[in-house]
């Protein structure tokens, strides 16, 4: 897996409102991180280090999954 490419695809899917792809990419990236895979760099010019990148990527994935669940809720 290329976590950077997956992160960028997640962001593009979010911008396009592609809920299925958002869910797929966020789930894939979370699974990768949970297995100890290295994180993407969520911020291009960041000095967060691996731990900071991991926390930010996880938070972004969880936020995206929450948005997907909200999009599919029937009011």
């Amino acid at each position: 897996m290329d976590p950077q490419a997956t992160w960028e695809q997640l962001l593009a899917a979010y911008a396009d409102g592609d809920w299925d792809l958002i869910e797929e990419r966020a789930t894939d990236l979370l699974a990768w991180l949970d297995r100890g895979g290295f994180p993407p760099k969520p911020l291009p010019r960041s000095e967060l280090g691996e731990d900071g990148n991991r926390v930010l990527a996880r938070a972004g994935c969880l936020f995206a999954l929450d948005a997907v669940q909200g999009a599919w809720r029937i009011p």
Side-chain angles (χ1 to χ4, degrees):
M1 167 184 240
D2 181 344
Q4 190 66 42
T6 303
W7 175 256
E8 291 168 9
Q9 291 166 6
L10 172 61
L11 295 179
Y14 196 87
D16 292 342
D18 186 339
W19 303 114
D20 291 330
L21 190 56
I22 293 167
E23 184 174 24
E24 184 179 319
R25 293 302 181 255
T27 301
D28 289 347
L29 188 52
L30 283 172
W32 169 261
L33 295 171
D34 288 346
R35 290 190 310 268
F38 62 92
K41 290 186 176 181
L43 303 174
R45 294 184 207 119
S46 172
E47 299 298 326
L48 295 174
E50 188 168 319
D51 289 340
N53 287 333
R54 181 178 307 280
V55 168
L56 193 55
R58 285 187 61 76
C61 288
L62 293 173
F63 179 86
L65 289 173
D66 188 57
V68 168
Q69 291 175 357
W72 293 117
R73 248 181 243 133
I74 299 173

